[in-house]
Amino acid sequence: MSGKNCFKVLDKIFEPKRKQNIEDIKGYTIKYGNIVDEGNVIDEVLVSYFKEPKSYTTENMCEINSHGGNVIVKKILDLCLKNGAELAEPGEFTKRAFLNGRIDLLQAESVIDIINAKTEKELKTGVNQLKGFLSNEIGKIKQEIMDVMVNIEVTIDYPEYDVDDVTTSQISAMLDSIEVKLKKLENSFDNGKILKEGIKTAIIGKPNAGKSSLLNAILKEDRAIVTEIEGTTRDTIEEFVNVNGIPLKLIDTAGIREAKDEVEKIGINKSREIANDADLIIAIFDSSKELTNEDEEILEIAKNKKSIILLNKVDLESKVKENDSRLLGVTDNIISISALNNYGIDKLYEKITDLFDLNEINLDNEVLITNIRQKNLISKSIEDINATRNSISSSMPIDIIAISVKEILEDLGKITGEEVSEDIINEIFSKFCLGK
Ligand code: GDP
């Protein structure tokens, strides 16, 4: 419970072993006792006390640790509600921490990322953001703008000092400097998105090439963590697989698995459909047979995209070699595997790591944008910079330029949450789970 009356509610339902006035209980204290309802003991519990402002929300807070289990927890919750508490909205604790100024919006958003993290790298990015890495970066950029704003204001207030030229050249220098920083953040979204959403990967190939065998080989991998998610393409299921730290979002895994008999086997049309949506195409061929027209169609789909060609069934006598010009016409990324025997699968992972520079992501000293809201605002700030440049080059008066510069500041303020509307705040926190 959080809020100014939380200790009053607690007092009605908690009988500590050693009773003390709330004024005498220090923050960060744990007390032992019973939760009681009209004299009946509900459970034996530990209660942690947090006193404002030193709590997650900055308000008075208490946490009841019961033995758990659905019935007990629900009963204690009902008791709290019956005695004056209100049920928290999704993310309400974090929302209060934000509204009370303990964390900014970037940090609040990182809490969702931390909870939802599917790989260690993603978790690390979330933790960095919670620590304020990105907030600091945005803060520095804002400070740069504010330093110049001071001069602009002076120029506006004392027009007799004819400092326009100096000021506009100063503004231009500032715009160049912050644009470099914002562009770097904007570009980091490519990697950030991969960390968060996974590399959207389509496994394509004609029937019997070995798609479902490959899928099994990937999913069997000891360290693969699999999460089923609803696909964006209609009627498909996507599976998030974390293999050796490589986040793959496999498209239409259900389709590949369910296609058992010859008629149903996933063929060219379906391959084309799922490939459309992919960041990476893994095109698989039966190397024990000559390439057919269907194979050539698959090669055509893989062309001009980030793709890897797998020559499957190398345990059999091979009819197609890695140096085949029809393959090389599509990509140099050609690997011989045997999906059935798990041979070559590690080479596939190495190739993916190389293709997406996943080893290059250095989370210790790099700030990554993983959130589309944040990315859009950064892009908007870069547009504002260009608009300001246009005002300068068309010799607009300094007060018009000032409005343009303020716009950049405002958009940056929306990222950290100082300038953001209530609707947006509500939308962001609605993505949280209850009780966070
Ligand atoms: P899909 O239709 O593309 O999903 O292909 P499957 O994965 O169902 O494989 C088709 C057939 O090829 C099955 O009988 C597999 O056992 C066989 N197969 C798959 N991979 C290999 C391999 O590496 N070596 C051999 N010898 N057979 C394989």
Side-chain angles (χ1 to χ4, degrees):
M1 287 187 283
S2 177
K4 64 179 186 325
N5 290 328
C6 74
F7 296 140
K8 283 191 194 142
V9 177
L10 183 70
D11 204 39
K12 291 184 201 161
I13 64 170
F14 178 51
E15 280 179 0
K17 185 96 176 160
R18 196 167 66 85
K19 188 127 177 102
Q20 267 180 299
N21 282 333
I22 186 68
E23 294 77 34
D24 299 329
I25 303 173
K26 290 202 183 95
Y28 305 120
T29 305
I30 296 176
K31 285 183 86 67
Y32 163 75
N34 290 322
I35 295 289
V36 286
D37 181 14
E38 295 170 4
N40 298 318
V41 174
I42 305 292
D43 196 9
E44 187 186 33
V45 297
L46 293 173
V47 174
S48 326
Y49 291 79
F50 304 88
K51 294 252 182 125
E52 60 165 32
K54 294 192 168 177
S55 77
Y56 185 63
T57 58
T58 79
E59 302 166 343
N60 281 333
M61 282 186 84
C62 56
E63 276 183 29
I64 303 170
N65 284 269
S66 77
H67 281 107
N70 288 341
V71 177
I72 294 176
V73 170
K74 178 156 190 315
K75 223 168 157 139
I76 297 175
L77 179 63
D78 285 344
L79 257 185
C80 293
L81 296 177
K82 203 169 84 186
N83 285 284
E86 276 168 35
L87 196 62
E89 308 265 317
E92 184 159 356
F93 292 92
T94 310
K95 186 179 182 178
R96 289 190 180 197
F98 163 66
L99 292 175
N100 295 333
R102 196 179 78 82
I103 54 174
D104 66 21
L105 201 52
L106 288 173
Q107 291 170 308
E109 285 179 314
S110 72
V111 174
I112 315 184
D113 291 344
I114 289 171
I115 296 168
N116 292 341
K118 295 178 288 308
T119 62
E120 296 221 2
K121 279 203 165 95
E122 193 186 348
L123 175 62
K124 177 107 197 241
T125 322
V127 171
N128 282 349
Q129 193 163 318
L130 183 62
K131 281 198 220 151
F133 280 29
L134 181 55
S135 309
N136 285 342
E137 194 66 25
I138 302 283
K140 276 190 238 157
I141 296 172
K142 282 170 70 182
Q143 191 54 51
E144 238 178 282
I145 302 175
M146 251 122 62
D147 291 345
V148 175
M149 265 318 272
V150 174
N151 289 349
I152 300 177
E153 299 290 346
V154 172
T155 315
I156 293 173
D157 291 345
Y158 302 96
E160 64 274 23
Y161 286 113
D162 199 21
V163 280
D164 271 18
D165 285 348
V166 182
T167 315
T168 47
S169 69
Q170 227 179 27
I171 299 172
S172 298
M174 177 272 287
L175 293 177
D176 291 347
S177 152
I178 64 169
E179 187 177 34
V180 171
K181 292 175 185 140
L182 287 171
K183 281 238 161 99
K184 193 164 169 232
L185 286 177
E186 190 185 39
N187 291 337
S188 78
F189 184 66
D190 287 344
N191 279 335
K193 188 162 164 268
I194 283 177
L195 283 192
K196 192 161 174 180
E197 295 179 8
I199 301 165
K200 283 190 110 187
T201 306
I203 299 175
I204 64 171
K206 70 173 182 200
N208 282 329
K211 293 180 294 298
S212 66
S213 307
L214 173 67
L215 185 63
N216 285 338
I218 292 175
L219 299 182
K220 246 192 312 198
E221 185 76 15
D222 284 349
R223 277 181 286 169
I225 300 171
V226 181
T227 331
E228 251 188 33
I229 32 192
E230 217 169 286
T232 42
T233 321
R234 218 155 39 93
D235 296 335
T236 61
I237 286 193
E238 292 171 354
E239 230 156 336
F240 191 97
V241 197
N242 171 9
V243 200
N244 300 337
I246 306 173
L248 292 185
K249 190 148 101 182
L250 298 166
I251 307 174
D252 199 23
T253 47
I256 294 175
R257 279 214 200 97
E258 281 158 16
K260 285 192 192 70
D261 59 62
E262 210 52 43
V263 193
E264 250 187 74
K265 285 251 179 196
I266 288 197
I268 315 297
N269 284 336
K270 189 77 183 177
S271 290
R272 192 169 287 127
E273 195 181 304
I274 63 175
N276 256 338
D277 214 22
D279 304 319
L280 170 69
I281 291 176
I282 298 180
I284 182 163
F285 301 90
D286 180 347
S287 69
S288 71
K289 303 209 170 88
E290 297 290 351
L291 293 183
T292 62
N293 286 343
E294 281 181 303
D295 286 319
E296 306 230 2
E297 283 187 60
I298 292 290
L299 283 170
E300 201 54 42
I301 298 173
K303 216 171 190 167
N304 303 323
K305 297 222 175 174
K306 227 173 214 177
S307 55
I308 296 173
I309 290 178
L310 296 181
L311 293 179
N312 189 28
K313 312 194 191 181
V314 288
D315 51 302
L316 305 175
E317 197 191 331
S318 111
K319 297 268 168 57
V320 192
K321 303 279 187 216
E322 289 186 12
N323 60 6
D324 190 305
S325 60
R326 289 166 296 179
L327 307 180
L328 286 167
V330 173
T331 173
D332 299 343
N333 307 319
I334 303 171
I335 303 169
S336 297
I337 67 159
S338 168
L340 210 52
N341 302 308
N342 250 336
Y343 169 83
I345 304 297
D346 44 348
K347 285 207 200 93
L348 170 64
Y349 297 146
E350 271 168 35
K351 184 56 85 186
I352 298 174
T353 313
D354 285 353
L355 274 179
F356 288 87
D357 282 344
L358 289 176
N359 281 334
E360 304 295 308
I361 305 177
N362 182 349
L363 296 173
D364 291 329
N365 49 26
E366 213 179 315
V367 183
L368 279 190
I369 303 280
T370 59
N371 174 307
I372 185 77
R373 183 193 74 88
Q374 297 162 13
K375 192 260 180 180
N376 285 343
L377 284 166
I378 286 172
S379 305
K380 172 75 172 42
S381 308
I382 294 171
E383 281 169 30
D384 298 338
I385 290 176
N386 288 327
T388 313
R389 281 210 186 97
N390 287 340
S391 313
I392 293 175
S393 61
S394 48
S395 306
M396 290 285 186
I398 191 77
D399 39 353
I400 300 288
I401 296 171
I403 292 172
S404 205
V405 174
K406 273 192 191 136
E407 184 101 349
I408 311 176
L409 265 183
E410 269 171 29
D411 281 325
L412 291 174
K414 284 181 194 157
I415 300 179
T416 44
E418 292 136 61
E419 308 263 355
V420 82
S421 73
E422 202 178 321
D423 288 353
I424 304 244
I425 292 175
N426 288 339
E427 195 197 313
I428 289 171
F429 286 99
S430 68
K431 291 181 199 141
F432 275 71
C433 348
L434 279 178
K436 292 288 188 259

PDB file of all heavy atoms in Angstrom, residues 2 8 79 160 189 278 285 299 345 356 371 433:
ATOM      1  N   SER A   2       0.394   2.249  -0.684  1.00  0.00           N
ATOM      2  CA  SER A   2       1.136   3.496  -0.742  1.00  0.00           C
ATOM      3  C   SER A   2       0.158   4.639  -0.533  1.00  0.00           C
ATOM      4  O   SER A   2      -0.991   4.566  -0.962  1.00  0.00           O
ATOM      5  CB  SER A   2       1.799   3.629  -2.118  1.00  0.00           C
ATOM      6  OG  SER A   2       2.468   4.860  -2.221  1.00  0.00           O
ATOM      7  N   LYS A   8      -2.874   3.905   8.427  1.00  0.00           N
ATOM      8  CA  LYS A   8      -4.171   3.827   9.118  1.00  0.00           C
ATOM      9  C   LYS A   8      -4.894   2.544   8.728  1.00  0.00           C
ATOM     10  O   LYS A   8      -5.473   1.856   9.567  1.00  0.00           O
ATOM     11  CB  LYS A   8      -5.053   5.027   8.736  1.00  0.00           C
ATOM     12  CG  LYS A   8      -4.661   6.293   9.450  1.00  0.00           C
ATOM     13  CD  LYS A   8      -5.722   7.376   9.234  1.00  0.00           C
ATOM     14  CE  LYS A   8      -5.150   8.724   9.672  1.00  0.00           C
ATOM     15  NZ  LYS A   8      -5.579   9.820   8.800  1.00  0.00           N
ATOM     16  N   LEU A  79      -9.400  -7.414   2.670  1.00  0.00           N
ATOM     17  CA  LEU A  79      -9.390  -6.737   3.978  1.00  0.00           C
ATOM     18  C   LEU A  79      -8.881  -5.308   3.857  1.00  0.00           C
ATOM     19  O   LEU A  79      -9.441  -4.376   4.443  1.00  0.00           O
ATOM     20  CB  LEU A  79      -8.471  -7.497   4.937  1.00  0.00           C
ATOM     21  CG  LEU A  79      -9.094  -8.388   5.983  1.00  0.00           C
ATOM     22  CD1 LEU A  79      -8.010  -8.928   6.899  1.00  0.00           C
ATOM     23  CD2 LEU A  79     -10.147  -7.633   6.798  1.00  0.00           C
ATOM     24  N   GLU A 160      18.741  46.787 -28.902  1.00  0.00           N
ATOM     25  CA  GLU A 160      19.689  47.859 -29.260  1.00  0.00           C
ATOM     26  C   GLU A 160      21.122  47.337 -29.353  1.00  0.00           C
ATOM     27  O   GLU A 160      21.984  47.927 -29.967  1.00  0.00           O
ATOM     28  CB  GLU A 160      19.594  49.031 -28.255  1.00  0.00           C
ATOM     29  CG  GLU A 160      19.980  48.715 -26.806  1.00  0.00           C
ATOM     30  CD  GLU A 160      18.815  48.149 -25.977  1.00  0.00           C
ATOM     31  OE1 GLU A 160      17.864  47.604 -26.575  1.00  0.00           O
ATOM     32  OE2 GLU A 160      18.869  48.235 -24.735  1.00  0.00           O
ATOM     33  N   PHE A 189      18.394   2.931 -32.291  1.00  0.00           N
ATOM     34  CA  PHE A 189      17.105   2.232 -32.230  1.00  0.00           C
ATOM     35  C   PHE A 189      17.132   0.932 -33.043  1.00  0.00           C
ATOM     36  O   PHE A 189      16.456  -0.028 -32.695  1.00  0.00           O
ATOM     37  CB  PHE A 189      15.987   3.158 -32.718  1.00  0.00           C
ATOM     38  CG  PHE A 189      14.612   2.563 -32.595  1.00  0.00           C
ATOM     39  CD1 PHE A 189      14.061   2.290 -31.353  1.00  0.00           C
ATOM     40  CD2 PHE A 189      13.859   2.266 -33.719  1.00  0.00           C
ATOM     41  CE1 PHE A 189      12.794   1.729 -31.229  1.00  0.00           C
ATOM     42  CE2 PHE A 189      12.588   1.714 -33.612  1.00  0.00           C
ATOM     43  CZ  PHE A 189      12.058   1.448 -32.369  1.00  0.00           C
ATOM     44  N   ALA A 278       9.972 -10.130 -42.774  1.00  0.00           N
ATOM     45  CA  ALA A 278      11.151 -10.546 -41.990  1.00  0.00           C
ATOM     46  C   ALA A 278      12.342  -9.595 -42.058  1.00  0.00           C
ATOM     47  O   ALA A 278      12.542  -8.886 -43.036  1.00  0.00           O
ATOM     48  CB  ALA A 278      11.591 -11.923 -42.463  1.00  0.00           C
ATOM     49  N   PHE A 285      17.602 -25.515 -48.324  1.00  0.00           N
ATOM     50  CA  PHE A 285      17.516 -26.356 -49.520  1.00  0.00           C
ATOM     51  C   PHE A 285      17.970 -27.775 -49.213  1.00  0.00           C
ATOM     52  O   PHE A 285      18.830 -27.978 -48.354  1.00  0.00           O
ATOM     53  CB  PHE A 285      18.406 -25.766 -50.624  1.00  0.00           C
ATOM     54  CG  PHE A 285      18.015 -24.364 -50.985  1.00  0.00           C
ATOM     55  CD1 PHE A 285      18.595 -23.277 -50.314  1.00  0.00           C
ATOM     56  CD2 PHE A 285      17.043 -24.113 -51.947  1.00  0.00           C
ATOM     57  CE1 PHE A 285      18.212 -21.978 -50.617  1.00  0.00           C
ATOM     58  CE2 PHE A 285      16.664 -22.808 -52.253  1.00  0.00           C
ATOM     59  CZ  PHE A 285      17.252 -21.734 -51.584  1.00  0.00           C
ATOM     60  N   LEU A 299      15.027 -18.900 -53.937  1.00  0.00           N
ATOM     61  CA  LEU A 299      16.213 -18.047 -54.046  1.00  0.00           C
ATOM     62  C   LEU A 299      15.808 -16.625 -54.435  1.00  0.00           C
ATOM     63  O   LEU A 299      16.347 -15.643 -53.912  1.00  0.00           O
ATOM     64  CB  LEU A 299      17.184 -18.610 -55.095  1.00  0.00           C
ATOM     65  CG  LEU A 299      18.012 -19.810 -54.628  1.00  0.00           C
ATOM     66  CD1 LEU A 299      18.749 -20.435 -55.809  1.00  0.00           C
ATOM     67  CD2 LEU A 299      19.000 -19.403 -53.533  1.00  0.00           C
ATOM     68  N   ILE A 345      24.593 -26.009 -36.966  1.00  0.00           N
ATOM     69  CA  ILE A 345      23.658 -25.033 -36.386  1.00  0.00           C
ATOM     70  C   ILE A 345      24.431 -23.907 -35.680  1.00  0.00           C
ATOM     71  O   ILE A 345      24.046 -22.740 -35.745  1.00  0.00           O
ATOM     72  CB  ILE A 345      22.688 -25.723 -35.393  1.00  0.00           C
ATOM     73  CG1 ILE A 345      21.943 -26.879 -36.069  1.00  0.00           C
ATOM     74  CG2 ILE A 345      21.684 -24.728 -34.828  1.00  0.00           C
ATOM     75  CD1 ILE A 345      21.043 -26.477 -37.200  1.00  0.00           C
ATOM     76  N   PHE A 356      24.167  -9.088 -37.785  1.00  0.00           N
ATOM     77  CA  PHE A 356      23.460  -8.023 -37.064  1.00  0.00           C
ATOM     78  C   PHE A 356      24.357  -7.302 -36.071  1.00  0.00           C
ATOM     79  O   PHE A 356      23.873  -6.564 -35.213  1.00  0.00           O
ATOM     80  CB  PHE A 356      22.212  -8.594 -36.370  1.00  0.00           C
ATOM     81  CG  PHE A 356      21.131  -8.937 -37.350  1.00  0.00           C
ATOM     82  CD1 PHE A 356      21.094 -10.172 -37.963  1.00  0.00           C
ATOM     83  CD2 PHE A 356      20.172  -7.992 -37.690  1.00  0.00           C
ATOM     84  CE1 PHE A 356      20.117 -10.479 -38.894  1.00  0.00           C
ATOM     85  CE2 PHE A 356      19.182  -8.292 -38.617  1.00  0.00           C
ATOM     86  CZ  PHE A 356      19.149  -9.543 -39.220  1.00  0.00           C
ATOM     87  N   ASN A 371      12.621   2.036 -27.363  1.00  0.00           N
ATOM     88  CA  ASN A 371      11.201   2.306 -27.239  1.00  0.00           C
ATOM     89  C   ASN A 371      10.759   3.221 -28.379  1.00  0.00           C
ATOM     90  O   ASN A 371      11.387   4.248 -28.646  1.00  0.00           O
ATOM     91  CB  ASN A 371      11.029   2.966 -25.859  1.00  0.00           C
ATOM     92  CG  ASN A 371       9.648   3.457 -25.581  1.00  0.00           C
ATOM     93  OD1 ASN A 371       9.079   4.216 -26.369  1.00  0.00           O
ATOM     94  ND2 ASN A 371       9.102   3.061 -24.456  1.00  0.00           N
ATOM     95  N   CYS A 433       1.786  -4.110 -15.496  1.00  0.00           N
ATOM     96  CA  CYS A 433       0.931  -5.072 -14.810  1.00  0.00           C
ATOM     97  C   CYS A 433       0.432  -4.413 -13.526  1.00  0.00           C
ATOM     98  O   CYS A 433       0.963  -3.404 -13.084  1.00  0.00           O
ATOM     99  CB  CYS A 433       1.668  -6.342 -14.419  1.00  0.00           C
ATOM    100  SG  CYS A 433       3.270  -6.547 -15.142  1.00  0.00           S
TER     101      CYS A 433
END
